[in-house]
Amino acid sequence: MVILSKLKIPEPIIWWLSFVPAAVLAAIIAPAILMPESSLSISFANSYLVAAVPAFGVAIKTRSLVWTLLAGMAVMALVQV
């Protein structure tokens, strides 16, 4: 870390590294949504996927973590009933 702090990192590498957090988050979330019971489940029976689709839409539209979480939780509550 000390060695890297003294190096000048080129802009393309900094730009590329800016995508790492989103990629890591997607790698954590995708299996939980698509494989809730250790097998691929892409159907309306998968409540995680049903809740994730509108939550993703809200995230794209509002770019707000709070509204995204509320939308996902509301849809999940409706699906569970």
Side-chain angles (χ1 to χ4, degrees), residues 26-38:
I28 292 169
I29 292 174
I33 292 173
L34 298 174
M35 299 173 53
E37 296 173 2
S38 299

Side-chain angles (χ1 to χ4, degrees), residues 15-76:
W15 176 79
W16 180 78
L17 287 173
S18 71
F19 293 104
V20 170
V24 169
L25 184 62
I28 292 169
I29 292 174
I33 292 173
L34 298 174
M35 299 173 53
E37 296 173 2
S38 299
S39 63
L40 186 62
S41 174
I42 302 177
S43 69
F44 288 112
N46 182 352
S47 58
Y48 298 107
L49 182 59
V50 171
V53 170
F56 184 71
V58 169
I60 295 292
K61 177 125 175 109
T62 66
R63 302 223 182 250
S64 168
L65 179 62
V66 172
W67 289 114
T68 302
L69 288 172
L70 288 175
M73 290 183 347
V75 174
M76 185 61 104

Side-chain angles (χ1 to χ4, degrees), residues 2-9:
V2 173
I3 295 169
L4 288 177
S5 67
K6 297 180 193 266
L7 291 176
K8 173 76 172 121
I9 301 174

